[in-house]
Amino acid sequence: MYCKELVESRRAGGVKRMAGVTSAGNVLSRRDRAFAGGRAGASRHVAIRPRGGPGRRAAVVRAPLFAALFLVLAGGAGAQPYPVKPVRLIVPFAPGGDTDTVARLIAPRLAEALGQQVIVDNRPGAGSLIGIEAMLRAPADGYTLAMGTISSLAVLPVTRSNVPYDPVQDIAPVILATVVPYVLHVHPSVPARSVAEFVRFAAARPGELAYGTPGVATGVHLTTEYFSSTAGVQLTHVPYKGSGPVLVDLLAGNIPVAFTTFSTSGQHVRSGRLRALAIAASARSRDFPQVPTMSEAGYRGFEASTWHGVVTRAGTPRAIVTRLNAGIARILNGADVRPALVSAGFDIGAGTVEDFEHYVKSEIGKWRKVAARAKVRAD
């Protein structure tokens, strides 16, 4: 019904778009302007410079706070202070999703703090593998960072045997930025207003309903397969290169169902263009109290969240890592950032480097158990 034409269209090189919705940028531009001062769907490489013209860098570097925070030696005696050149922040997904939004929120403020450009570089593909590999090919000097997520740090390593890195040994966590729970959404054309009704609808159509994800072996992929196995329904996976394109096709009705987040879907739930059936969290959303938890919907203990952090290559001087952590934590807790994120449905991390290290290890253990139970492999 939904699935055959969509899969064939994807293989042919694209999915039909609803008239008037031509890109992820068009759907999400209002939110992205509010958070990042720009528009989603911008060019892949975005150089974010310190504000105030050529003289701004000197002014920022002279400021006592940022001098103390960032002008640290990267090595022994005679080493150059950090940073002396632009810093690249790789986003391993297409523009328009949660990961991209968080990155573009951090980048301009980090540029001011560092007194250097911060270049946002979208490298989508392979469920975030392409972007993380690009980061790992760079020197371990603090000039190449990446957005590390549930996909790259926890799900890929437990569902694929050929992941070319160890998330604990090869990647240095900098800071956990945000956590946001997944929400089960359907297009209004689906005749279901509860999880139970959706399960009955899907069970009567095994394999006919397609669900979208940001890619193979992403958090959404594993969460949806876990739900399918628990509910006893068969859905067909259609991977994209980010959550932005998933939202576009969900709004267009090209896919009938997807787990996404209120931070990306909220305005469309309010307008009636999407229907939220349940949130995979321990408590209901403050902004959408009418949406039950998955436990309330009959799936006790079903909790799953996506998360976004900043990482770099292992071997980067610890002094640089800890100072980046402190600087980004200040950004996330800033009066212009924290309220905007919270109101959009994000929980703020902003803990220490050690906090993020422990969190990654716990998530690896959790999703390894889920992958085994749902029998999900991405090889």
PDB file of all heavy atoms in Angstrom, residues 207-237:
ATOM      1  N   GLY A 207       4.309  -6.082   6.381  1.00  0.00           N
ATOM      2  CA  GLY A 207       5.270  -5.668   5.356  1.00  0.00           C
ATOM      3  C   GLY A 207       4.822  -4.547   4.462  1.00  0.00           C
ATOM      4  O   GLY A 207       5.599  -4.063   3.636  1.00  0.00           O
ATOM      5  N   GLU A 208       3.571  -4.077   4.595  1.00  0.00           N
ATOM      6  CA  GLU A 208       3.067  -3.043   3.691  1.00  0.00           C
ATOM      7  C   GLU A 208       3.384  -1.629   4.157  1.00  0.00           C
ATOM      8  O   GLU A 208       3.412  -0.705   3.342  1.00  0.00           O
ATOM      9  CB  GLU A 208       1.543  -3.181   3.531  1.00  0.00           C
ATOM     10  CG  GLU A 208       1.099  -4.430   2.797  1.00  0.00           C
ATOM     11  CD  GLU A 208      -0.401  -4.458   2.589  1.00  0.00           C
ATOM     12  OE1 GLU A 208      -1.032  -3.374   2.647  1.00  0.00           O
ATOM     13  OE2 GLU A 208      -0.954  -5.556   2.384  1.00  0.00           O
ATOM     14  N   LEU A 209       3.610  -1.445   5.442  1.00  0.00           N
ATOM     15  CA  LEU A 209       3.856  -0.107   5.974  1.00  0.00           C
ATOM     16  C   LEU A 209       5.354   0.135   6.083  1.00  0.00           C
ATOM     17  O   LEU A 209       6.090  -0.650   6.690  1.00  0.00           O
ATOM     18  CB  LEU A 209       3.200   0.066   7.343  1.00  0.00           C
ATOM     19  CG  LEU A 209       1.694  -0.199   7.433  1.00  0.00           C
ATOM     20  CD1 LEU A 209       1.186   0.118   8.829  1.00  0.00           C
ATOM     21  CD2 LEU A 209       0.941   0.616   6.390  1.00  0.00           C
ATOM     22  N   ALA A 210       5.804   1.237   5.502  1.00  0.00           N
ATOM     23  CA  ALA A 210       7.220   1.596   5.537  1.00  0.00           C
ATOM     24  C   ALA A 210       7.472   2.623   6.628  1.00  0.00           C
ATOM     25  O   ALA A 210       6.681   3.531   6.838  1.00  0.00           O
ATOM     26  CB  ALA A 210       7.656   2.153   4.185  1.00  0.00           C
ATOM     27  N   TYR A 211       8.586   2.481   7.305  1.00  0.00           N
ATOM     28  CA  TYR A 211       8.999   3.485   8.285  1.00  0.00           C
ATOM     29  C   TYR A 211      10.357   4.053   7.883  1.00  0.00           C
ATOM     30  O   TYR A 211      11.192   3.352   7.315  1.00  0.00           O
ATOM     31  CB  TYR A 211       9.059   2.902   9.705  1.00  0.00           C
ATOM     32  CG  TYR A 211      10.202   1.931   9.963  1.00  0.00           C
ATOM     33  CD1 TYR A 211      11.431   2.376  10.460  1.00  0.00           C
ATOM     34  CD2 TYR A 211      10.046   0.556   9.743  1.00  0.00           C
ATOM     35  CE1 TYR A 211      12.462   1.492  10.721  1.00  0.00           C
ATOM     36  CE2 TYR A 211      11.076  -0.326   9.989  1.00  0.00           C
ATOM     37  CZ  TYR A 211      12.289   0.144  10.484  1.00  0.00           C
ATOM     38  OH  TYR A 211      13.318  -0.735  10.730  1.00  0.00           O
ATOM     39  N   GLY A 212      10.553   5.331   8.155  1.00  0.00           N
ATOM     40  CA  GLY A 212      11.797   5.987   7.779  1.00  0.00           C
ATOM     41  C   GLY A 212      12.717   6.172   8.966  1.00  0.00           C
ATOM     42  O   GLY A 212      12.274   6.326  10.102  1.00  0.00           O
ATOM     43  N   THR A 213      14.031   6.144   8.685  1.00  0.00           N
ATOM     44  CA  THR A 213      15.041   6.397   9.710  1.00  0.00           C
ATOM     45  C   THR A 213      16.141   7.265   9.122  1.00  0.00           C
ATOM     46  O   THR A 213      16.266   7.387   7.894  1.00  0.00           O
ATOM     47  CB  THR A 213      15.679   5.094  10.225  1.00  0.00           C
ATOM     48  OG1 THR A 213      16.584   4.590   9.216  1.00  0.00           O
ATOM     49  CG2 THR A 213      14.635   4.045  10.546  1.00  0.00           C
ATOM     50  N   PRO A 214      16.991   7.865   9.977  1.00  0.00           N
ATOM     51  CA  PRO A 214      18.126   8.640   9.465  1.00  0.00           C
ATOM     52  C   PRO A 214      19.206   7.787   8.825  1.00  0.00           C
ATOM     53  O   PRO A 214      20.173   8.318   8.295  1.00  0.00           O
ATOM     54  CB  PRO A 214      18.671   9.337  10.720  1.00  0.00           C
ATOM     55  CG  PRO A 214      17.560   9.299  11.704  1.00  0.00           C
ATOM     56  CD  PRO A 214      16.826   8.025  11.420  1.00  0.00           C
ATOM     57  N   GLY A 215      19.053   6.465   8.864  1.00  0.00           N
ATOM     58  CA  GLY A 215      20.024   5.586   8.248  1.00  0.00           C
ATOM     59  C   GLY A 215      20.028   4.211   8.901  1.00  0.00           C
ATOM     60  O   GLY A 215      19.418   3.997   9.952  1.00  0.00           O
ATOM     61  N   VAL A 216      20.720   3.283   8.271  1.00  0.00           N
ATOM     62  CA  VAL A 216      20.859   1.930   8.809  1.00  0.00           C
ATOM     63  C   VAL A 216      21.678   1.981  10.091  1.00  0.00           C
ATOM     64  O   VAL A 216      22.664   2.715  10.195  1.00  0.00           O
ATOM     65  CB  VAL A 216      21.532   1.006   7.771  1.00  0.00           C
ATOM     66  CG1 VAL A 216      21.789  -0.376   8.362  1.00  0.00           C
ATOM     67  CG2 VAL A 216      20.673   0.895   6.516  1.00  0.00           C
ATOM     68  N   ALA A 217      21.263   1.211  11.071  1.00  0.00           N
ATOM     69  CA  ALA A 217      21.971   1.097  12.352  1.00  0.00           C
ATOM     70  C   ALA A 217      22.034   2.428  13.098  1.00  0.00           C
ATOM     71  O   ALA A 217      23.016   2.730  13.757  1.00  0.00           O
ATOM     72  CB  ALA A 217      23.369   0.526  12.147  1.00  0.00           C
ATOM     73  N   THR A 218      20.980   3.206  12.983  1.00  0.00           N
ATOM     74  CA  THR A 218      20.850   4.410  13.799  1.00  0.00           C
ATOM     75  C   THR A 218      19.966   4.088  14.996  1.00  0.00           C
ATOM     76  O   THR A 218      19.345   3.029  15.077  1.00  0.00           O
ATOM     77  CB  THR A 218      20.224   5.553  12.993  1.00  0.00           C
ATOM     78  OG1 THR A 218      18.972   5.097  12.445  1.00  0.00           O
ATOM     79  CG2 THR A 218      21.130   6.000  11.854  1.00  0.00           C
ATOM     80  N   GLY A 219      19.892   5.022  15.939  1.00  0.00           N
ATOM     81  CA  GLY A 219      19.056   4.814  17.102  1.00  0.00           C
ATOM     82  C   GLY A 219      17.603   4.605  16.738  1.00  0.00           C
ATOM     83  O   GLY A 219      16.912   3.755  17.322  1.00  0.00           O
ATOM     84  N   VAL A 220      17.116   5.366  15.760  1.00  0.00           N
ATOM     85  CA  VAL A 220      15.725   5.221  15.326  1.00  0.00           C
ATOM     86  C   VAL A 220      15.492   3.849  14.699  1.00  0.00           C
ATOM     87  O   VAL A 220      14.454   3.211  14.936  1.00  0.00           O
ATOM     88  CB  VAL A 220      15.345   6.335  14.331  1.00  0.00           C
ATOM     89  CG1 VAL A 220      13.943   6.114  13.791  1.00  0.00           C
ATOM     90  CG2 VAL A 220      15.432   7.697  14.988  1.00  0.00           C
ATOM     91  N   HIS A 221      16.441   3.378  13.916  1.00  0.00           N
ATOM     92  CA  HIS A 221      16.314   2.062  13.284  1.00  0.00           C
ATOM     93  C   HIS A 221      16.155   0.977  14.345  1.00  0.00           C
ATOM     94  O   HIS A 221      15.221   0.156  14.307  1.00  0.00           O
ATOM     95  CB  HIS A 221      17.550   1.799  12.412  1.00  0.00           C
ATOM     96  CG  HIS A 221      17.527   0.476  11.714  1.00  0.00           C
ATOM     97  ND1 HIS A 221      18.667  -0.100  11.201  1.00  0.00           N
ATOM     98  CD2 HIS A 221      16.519  -0.398  11.456  1.00  0.00           C
ATOM     99  CE1 HIS A 221      18.356  -1.267  10.645  1.00  0.00           C
ATOM    100  NE2 HIS A 221      17.065  -1.462  10.784  1.00  0.00           N
ATOM    101  N   LEU A 222      17.066   0.980  15.323  1.00  0.00           N
ATOM    102  CA  LEU A 222      17.022  -0.056  16.344  1.00  0.00           C
ATOM    103  C   LEU A 222      15.779   0.081  17.223  1.00  0.00           C
ATOM    104  O   LEU A 222      15.148  -0.918  17.590  1.00  0.00           O
ATOM    105  CB  LEU A 222      18.290   0.016  17.203  1.00  0.00           C
ATOM    106  CG  LEU A 222      18.610  -1.202  18.067  1.00  0.00           C
ATOM    107  CD1 LEU A 222      18.543  -2.486  17.256  1.00  0.00           C
ATOM    108  CD2 LEU A 222      19.973  -1.051  18.710  1.00  0.00           C
ATOM    109  N   THR A 223      15.394   1.313  17.534  1.00  0.00           N
ATOM    110  CA  THR A 223      14.194   1.541  18.341  1.00  0.00           C
ATOM    111  C   THR A 223      12.956   1.022  17.627  1.00  0.00           C
ATOM    112  O   THR A 223      12.086   0.376  18.235  1.00  0.00           O
ATOM    113  CB  THR A 223      14.037   3.038  18.653  1.00  0.00           C
ATOM    114  OG1 THR A 223      15.137   3.465  19.458  1.00  0.00           O
ATOM    115  CG2 THR A 223      12.743   3.314  19.396  1.00  0.00           C
ATOM    116  N   THR A 224      12.844   1.280  16.318  1.00  0.00           N
ATOM    117  CA  THR A 224      11.668   0.839  15.571  1.00  0.00           C
ATOM    118  C   THR A 224      11.621  -0.682  15.448  1.00  0.00           C
ATOM    119  O   THR A 224      10.548  -1.293  15.564  1.00  0.00           O
ATOM    120  CB  THR A 224      11.621   1.483  14.177  1.00  0.00           C
ATOM    121  OG1 THR A 224      11.839   2.885  14.292  1.00  0.00           O
ATOM    122  CG2 THR A 224      10.280   1.254  13.514  1.00  0.00           C
ATOM    123  N   GLU A 225      12.772  -1.289  15.216  1.00  0.00           N
ATOM    124  CA  GLU A 225      12.808  -2.756  15.133  1.00  0.00           C
ATOM    125  C   GLU A 225      12.467  -3.377  16.487  1.00  0.00           C
ATOM    126  O   GLU A 225      11.796  -4.420  16.559  1.00  0.00           O
ATOM    127  CB  GLU A 225      14.181  -3.219  14.655  1.00  0.00           C
ATOM    128  CG  GLU A 225      14.456  -2.937  13.185  1.00  0.00           C
ATOM    129  CD  GLU A 225      13.484  -3.671  12.264  1.00  0.00           C
ATOM    130  OE1 GLU A 225      13.149  -4.837  12.558  1.00  0.00           O
ATOM    131  OE2 GLU A 225      13.054  -3.084  11.260  1.00  0.00           O
ATOM    132  N   TYR A 226      12.919  -2.748  17.557  1.00  0.00           N
ATOM    133  CA  TYR A 226      12.588  -3.218  18.901  1.00  0.00           C
ATOM    134  C   TYR A 226      11.080  -3.133  19.133  1.00  0.00           C
ATOM    135  O   TYR A 226      10.456  -4.071  19.644  1.00  0.00           O
ATOM    136  CB  TYR A 226      13.351  -2.384  19.922  1.00  0.00           C
ATOM    137  CG  TYR A 226      13.139  -2.772  21.368  1.00  0.00           C
ATOM    138  CD1 TYR A 226      12.937  -4.094  21.742  1.00  0.00           C
ATOM    139  CD2 TYR A 226      13.166  -1.801  22.360  1.00  0.00           C
ATOM    140  CE1 TYR A 226      12.762  -4.442  23.075  1.00  0.00           C
ATOM    141  CE2 TYR A 226      12.989  -2.136  23.698  1.00  0.00           C
ATOM    142  CZ  TYR A 226      12.792  -3.458  24.051  1.00  0.00           C
ATOM    143  OH  TYR A 226      12.610  -3.794  25.367  1.00  0.00           O
ATOM    144  N   PHE A 227      10.495  -2.015  18.721  1.00  0.00           N
ATOM    145  CA  PHE A 227       9.045  -1.869  18.855  1.00  0.00           C
ATOM    146  C   PHE A 227       8.313  -2.902  18.009  1.00  0.00           C
ATOM    147  O   PHE A 227       7.343  -3.533  18.471  1.00  0.00           O
ATOM    148  CB  PHE A 227       8.620  -0.459  18.434  1.00  0.00           C
ATOM    149  CG  PHE A 227       7.137  -0.292  18.266  1.00  0.00           C
ATOM    150  CD1 PHE A 227       6.298  -0.243  19.373  1.00  0.00           C
ATOM    151  CD2 PHE A 227       6.565  -0.204  17.001  1.00  0.00           C
ATOM    152  CE1 PHE A 227       4.917  -0.111  19.227  1.00  0.00           C
ATOM    153  CE2 PHE A 227       5.201  -0.071  16.842  1.00  0.00           C
ATOM    154  CZ  PHE A 227       4.371  -0.023  17.960  1.00  0.00           C
ATOM    155  N   SER A 228       8.748  -3.097  16.769  1.00  0.00           N
ATOM    156  CA  SER A 228       8.086  -4.051  15.870  1.00  0.00           C
ATOM    157  C   SER A 228       8.108  -5.457  16.444  1.00  0.00           C
ATOM    158  O   SER A 228       7.094  -6.170  16.415  1.00  0.00           O
ATOM    159  CB  SER A 228       8.761  -4.039  14.498  1.00  0.00           C
ATOM    160  OG  SER A 228       8.665  -2.771  13.900  1.00  0.00           O
ATOM    161  N   SER A 229       9.268  -5.867  16.971  1.00  0.00           N
ATOM    162  CA  SER A 229       9.370  -7.215  17.522  1.00  0.00           C
ATOM    163  C   SER A 229       8.536  -7.359  18.787  1.00  0.00           C
ATOM    164  O   SER A 229       7.915  -8.402  19.020  1.00  0.00           O
ATOM    165  CB  SER A 229      10.839  -7.559  17.803  1.00  0.00           C
ATOM    166  OG  SER A 229      11.361  -6.736  18.832  1.00  0.00           O
ATOM    167  N   THR A 230       8.499  -6.301  19.599  1.00  0.00           N
ATOM    168  CA  THR A 230       7.711  -6.345  20.834  1.00  0.00           C
ATOM    169  C   THR A 230       6.217  -6.372  20.528  1.00  0.00           C
ATOM    170  O   THR A 230       5.445  -7.095  21.176  1.00  0.00           O
ATOM    171  CB  THR A 230       8.037  -5.120  21.708  1.00  0.00           C
ATOM    172  OG1 THR A 230       9.436  -5.102  21.992  1.00  0.00           O
ATOM    173  CG2 THR A 230       7.265  -5.162  23.024  1.00  0.00           C
ATOM    174  N   ALA A 231       5.799  -5.580  19.520  1.00  0.00           N
ATOM    175  CA  ALA A 231       4.379  -5.492  19.172  1.00  0.00           C
ATOM    176  C   ALA A 231       3.920  -6.623  18.270  1.00  0.00           C
ATOM    177  O   ALA A 231       2.708  -6.817  18.093  1.00  0.00           O
ATOM    178  CB  ALA A 231       4.108  -4.151  18.494  1.00  0.00           C
ATOM    179  N   GLY A 232       4.860  -7.337  17.678  1.00  0.00           N
ATOM    180  CA  GLY A 232       4.499  -8.443  16.797  1.00  0.00           C
ATOM    181  C   GLY A 232       4.003  -7.995  15.439  1.00  0.00           C
ATOM    182  O   GLY A 232       3.142  -8.655  14.846  1.00  0.00           O
ATOM    183  N   VAL A 233       4.556  -6.880  14.927  1.00  0.00           N
ATOM    184  CA  VAL A 233       4.171  -6.402  13.594  1.00  0.00           C
ATOM    185  C   VAL A 233       5.394  -6.381  12.685  1.00  0.00           C
ATOM    186  O   VAL A 233       6.534  -6.340  13.152  1.00  0.00           O
ATOM    187  CB  VAL A 233       3.535  -4.991  13.658  1.00  0.00           C
ATOM    188  CG1 VAL A 233       2.251  -5.028  14.466  1.00  0.00           C
ATOM    189  CG2 VAL A 233       4.505  -3.969  14.239  1.00  0.00           C
ATOM    190  N   GLN A 234       5.144  -6.390  11.390  1.00  0.00           N
ATOM    191  CA  GLN A 234       6.216  -6.362  10.407  1.00  0.00           C
ATOM    192  C   GLN A 234       6.146  -5.064   9.611  1.00  0.00           C
ATOM    193  O   GLN A 234       5.201  -4.838   8.852  1.00  0.00           O
ATOM    194  CB  GLN A 234       6.107  -7.564   9.453  1.00  0.00           C
ATOM    195  CG  GLN A 234       7.223  -7.634   8.427  1.00  0.00           C
ATOM    196  CD  GLN A 234       7.052  -8.807   7.468  1.00  0.00           C
ATOM    197  OE1 GLN A 234       6.260  -9.709   7.723  1.00  0.00           O
ATOM    198  NE2 GLN A 234       7.802  -8.786   6.373  1.00  0.00           N
ATOM    199  N   LEU A 235       7.157  -4.203   9.807  1.00  0.00           N
ATOM    200  CA  LEU A 235       7.262  -2.948   9.069  1.00  0.00           C
ATOM    201  C   LEU A 235       8.478  -3.021   8.155  1.00  0.00           C
ATOM    202  O   LEU A 235       9.421  -3.782   8.408  1.00  0.00           O
ATOM    203  CB  LEU A 235       7.405  -1.768  10.043  1.00  0.00           C
ATOM    204  CG  LEU A 235       6.314  -1.623  11.118  1.00  0.00           C
ATOM    205  CD1 LEU A 235       6.668  -0.499  12.072  1.00  0.00           C
ATOM    206  CD2 LEU A 235       4.956  -1.377  10.469  1.00  0.00           C
ATOM    207  N   THR A 236       8.486  -2.235   7.101  1.00  0.00           N
ATOM    208  CA  THR A 236       9.593  -2.232   6.140  1.00  0.00           C
ATOM    209  C   THR A 236      10.438  -0.986   6.304  1.00  0.00           C
ATOM    210  O   THR A 236       9.926   0.133   6.298  1.00  0.00           O
ATOM    211  CB  THR A 236       9.059  -2.315   4.696  1.00  0.00           C
ATOM    212  OG1 THR A 236       8.355  -3.548   4.543  1.00  0.00           O
ATOM    213  CG2 THR A 236      10.206  -2.256   3.691  1.00  0.00           C
ATOM    214  N   HIS A 237      11.740  -1.191   6.440  1.00  0.00           N
ATOM    215  CA  HIS A 237      12.681  -0.109   6.711  1.00  0.00           C
ATOM    216  C   HIS A 237      13.073   0.627   5.430  1.00  0.00           C
ATOM    217  O   HIS A 237      13.463   0.016   4.443  1.00  0.00           O
ATOM    218  CB  HIS A 237      13.938  -0.689   7.374  1.00  0.00           C
ATOM    219  CG  HIS A 237      14.964   0.331   7.746  1.00  0.00           C
ATOM    220  ND1 HIS A 237      16.311   0.057   7.802  1.00  0.00           N
ATOM    221  CD2 HIS A 237      14.836   1.656   8.086  1.00  0.00           C
ATOM    222  CE1 HIS A 237      16.968   1.145   8.164  1.00  0.00           C
ATOM    223  NE2 HIS A 237      16.105   2.120   8.338  1.00  0.00           N
TER     224      HIS A 237
END
